[in-house]
Amino acid sequence: MGGPLKILFAASEVTPFSKTGGLADVAAALPRALAGLGHDVRLVTPRYREFAGPVEPLTEFPVDTPGGTGTARVGRATLPKSAVPVYTIEDDLGRFDREGFYQAQGRDFDDNLDRFAFFSRAAVELPGRLGWSPDILHCHDWQTGLIPLYLARSGPARGRLRTVLTVHNLGYQGVFPSEQFPVTGLEWDAFTLDGLEFYGRINLLKGGLLAADVVTTVSPTYAREIQTSVHGHGLDGVLAARRADLVGILNGIDTAEWDPAADPALAAPFSAADPAGKAACRDDLARRVGLPAAGGPILALVTRLVEQKGIDVLVDVMPELALLDVRVVVLGTGDAAYEAALRNWTAKAPKHIAAVLGFDDALAHRIMAGADLFLMPSRYEPCGLSQLYAMRYGAVPVCHRTGGLADTVVDYAPSAAHDGRATGFLFEPCSPDSFRHAIQLALAVYRDPPAWRRLMSAGMRSDFGWERSAAEYVAVYERALARPPRGAATR
């Protein structure tokens, strides 16, 4: 491995300042891990109205836009539990000063292309304004997809700088009407099959995938899946063409934040070496969600209530679950039809099913600690973090064999269970019958306490910290720096 690198992360959300999903967690945890390896890491992110945390005004500079010259105002914060600087971008027109990050009342903002084009231009300009020259500009998802294009078309001016684009979920691509193309500030030769054009529309993620020096995604299996028509969301051909530059690296988790031995939200601490406290956590969870204190194992989900997460598959097996000696806890929010179905089941089977429709971070920790089984019937899951949290907290996962779930959960089989490798139960296809069979198998093993303790212990002892993943990203950065810059196809 070479010497320390200078790395600028560009992300549309960063925990704890702004968060709608797992991207924000990765955008915070990975820079901390890289800094821990001795690299000079910094972040740039929009300063939304709801930005949580103190920001010190730093500088401002002009940004050319198709509508004229705008002003980027830069602030500085510090990533908690680190010395990593976080640079915030706001502007003189209030592009980010509104309720919501990307949408309001379920509807995307009409000017999202303008908002993130401005952010991308400011992110490209920022290092020069700081007198700092990064080696790598690491971009995340469609909101930063224009950054690799801007740099690819800048020619020798980019110098040593290389770009890495990470796809966290290919289902979100940043697609806009073609008449908005001038907002990008690019020449029309970028609106082609080899650039931003996508079935007559603009696709920011596609442009970034074609222009970035290296593309990564969040698990090895997902890297393979997105090259197929089933999971490629229309970009499978683009990704297959870039397969030599596409790398799948598993996300990690913050093992300090998610530690059942030291979690202040829990009724009692516990660990793989001393799991006794989990019983108190189970009782506390049942009390908090209104389920009977005495009863069978607790099966839990903490998830967005959307089709991707297989909530329809869960609803289809509810009639059987309501008749079994189990208790089911669901925490999440999402599609109105799924929320209504879960409310209905809570009313019909109040001694067996409790749905909390909303989100509560402390309750999420308590669910992981109190659950015996953690259910993830996701149709696709690029990496998934919930199964990692669950295993660390002794909740054995039951997951559809897809994406990062397939890469992180070792499927139960007698031989794998006997030698301590098995950590959960995988099923396929993503159907009610397969899901039902996996739950039944898990419950059968649960009734064998020594076998269940081995499963729990194997999951709790698994290493899903960020150090391993951070080292893999360093290898990707060095790989990008060893090559000539990409950009011929997008010029």
Side-chain angles (χ1 to χ4, degrees):
M1 186 180 295
L5 297 173
K6 292 181 286 186
I7 307 156
L8 178 61
F9 271 65
S12 60
E13 52 188 80
V14 179
T15 301
F17 306 112
S18 53
K19 178 178 177 177
T20 64
L23 162 62
D25 292 335
V26 175
L30 179 53
R32 270 197 294 263
L34 290 166
L37 295 177
H39 301 284
D40 181 356
V41 189
R42 310 184 188 190
L43 287 93
V44 59
T45 192
R47 185 178 182 182
Y48 304 103
R49 180 183 296 175
E50 300 170 29
F51 195 87
V55 177
E56 173 191 353
L58 186 63
T59 189
E60 61 181 50
F61 55 84
V63 175
D64 290 334
T65 72
T69 300
T71 299
R73 293 197 296 272
V74 183
R76 174 174 169 144
T78 302
L79 192 64
K81 298 184 287 186
S82 78
V84 174
V86 177
Y87 300 113
T88 63
I89 300 294
E90 54 187 325
D91 75 297
D92 51 337
L93 297 181
R95 288 178 171 89
F96 305 108
D97 183 18
R98 60 186 69 172
E99 293 184 12
F101 300 162
Y102 317 119
Q103 58 176 228
Q105 298 178 340
R107 186 174 184 273
D108 289 349
F109 294 126
D110 291 335
D111 62 344
N112 272 343
L113 179 57
D114 171 65
R115 298 171 74 228
F116 290 103
F118 181 90
F119 171 69
S120 296
R121 286 180 173 276
V124 169
E125 180 82 8
L126 178 65
R129 299 291 175 169
L130 299 175
W132 180 69
S133 299
D135 303 304
I136 297 291
L137 212 167
H138 190 158
C139 307
H140 295 266
D141 276 351
W142 70 262
Q143 294 90 342
T144 59
L146 283 170
I147 291 175
L149 266 79
Y150 290 149
L151 287 169
R153 298 171 74 87
S154 66
R158 71 183 292 183
R160 171 181 166 84
L161 182 61
R162 298 293 183 268
T163 55
V164 174
L165 174 63
T166 295
V167 178
H168 294 264
N169 189 331
L170 194 66
Y172 301 93
Q173 299 179 5
V175 178
F176 301 94
S178 59
E179 53 265 28
Q180 292 188 24
F181 183 78
V183 171
T184 67
L186 295 166
E187 299 295 330
W188 276 98
D189 65 348
F191 188 67
T192 65
L193 189 62
D194 292 326
L196 288 163
E197 192 273 333
F198 181 74
Y199 297 99
R201 308 187 80 197
I202 303 161
N203 187 315
L204 296 191
L205 186 61
K206 180 195 173 196
L209 291 172
L210 288 166
D213 293 294
V214 179
V215 175
T216 73
T217 192
V218 291
S219 73
T221 294
Y222 193 58
R224 295 189 293 272
E225 288 176 344
I226 58 179
Q227 297 178 55
T228 70
S229 59
V230 175
H231 295 287
H233 295 277
L235 293 178
D236 45 293
V238 172
L239 288 155
R242 295 226 58 192
R243 64 169 58 92
D245 304 314
L246 174 60
V247 182
I249 301 175
L250 277 170
N251 286 336
I253 61 173
D254 185 332
T255 54
E257 179 183 356
W258 291 90
D259 180 2
D263 191 331
L266 305 190
F270 63 96
S271 65
D274 183 9
K278 189 169 176 69
C281 293
R282 183 188 301 111
D283 293 343
D284 176 67
L285 173 62
R287 178 183 60 81
R288 287 178 181 275
V289 300
L291 288 172
I298 292 180
L299 286 59
L301 296 88
V302 178
T303 186
R304 288 181 293 117
L305 304 178
V306 296
E307 185 181 15
Q308 179 210 328
K309 300 298 184 179
I311 304 304
D312 56 319
V313 178
L314 171 70
V315 172
D316 282 345
V317 303
M318 278 294 192
E320 288 89 343
L321 294 180
L323 296 175
L324 294 174
D325 182 23
V326 301
R327 293 167 288 174
V328 180
V329 179
V330 182
L331 173 63
T333 185
D335 291 354
Y338 294 140
E339 290 189 0
L342 290 171
R343 272 194 297 267
N344 181 52
W345 274 108
T346 297
K348 286 172 64 175
K351 293 184 178 180
H352 291 278
I353 297 166
V356 180
L357 301 178
F359 188 74
D360 179 327
D361 187 61
L363 182 57
H365 283 241
R366 293 173 181 130
I367 288 173
M368 298 295 180
D372 298 291
L373 282 75
F374 192 84
L375 309 180
M376 291 186 72
S378 303
R379 281 186 163 74
Y380 70 94
E381 196 67 62
C383 176
L385 296 176
S386 293
Q387 82 278 13
L388 307 183
Y389 301 145
M391 283 189 278
R392 186 158 172 81
Y393 279 57
V396 176
V398 179
C399 305
H400 178 216
R401 190 190 298 270
T402 186
L405 306 181
D407 290 327
T408 55
V409 177
V410 178
D411 194 17
Y412 175 86
S415 59
H418 181 73
D419 61 18
R421 289 182 295 111
T423 58
F425 300 85
L426 297 173
F427 67 91
E428 58 183 343
C430 188
S431 68
D433 283 344
S434 295
F435 189 33
R436 187 181 298 110
H437 176 75
I439 293 172
Q440 290 169 345
L441 175 60
L443 292 174
V445 178
Y446 178 83
R447 291 189 286 270
D448 180 348
W452 194 256
R453 284 195 295 271
R454 283 195 297 271
L455 269 178
M456 281 180 54
S457 179
M460 294 182 76
R461 295 179 190 278
S462 297
D463 179 13
F464 293 115
W466 270 104
E467 291 76 11
R468 169 190 46 78
S469 300
E472 292 186 50
Y473 274 104
V474 171
V476 165
Y477 300 152
E478 292 177 339
R479 173 177 170 181
L481 288 165
R483 300 177 176 181
R486 185 170 171 84
T490 53
R491 289 180 191 158

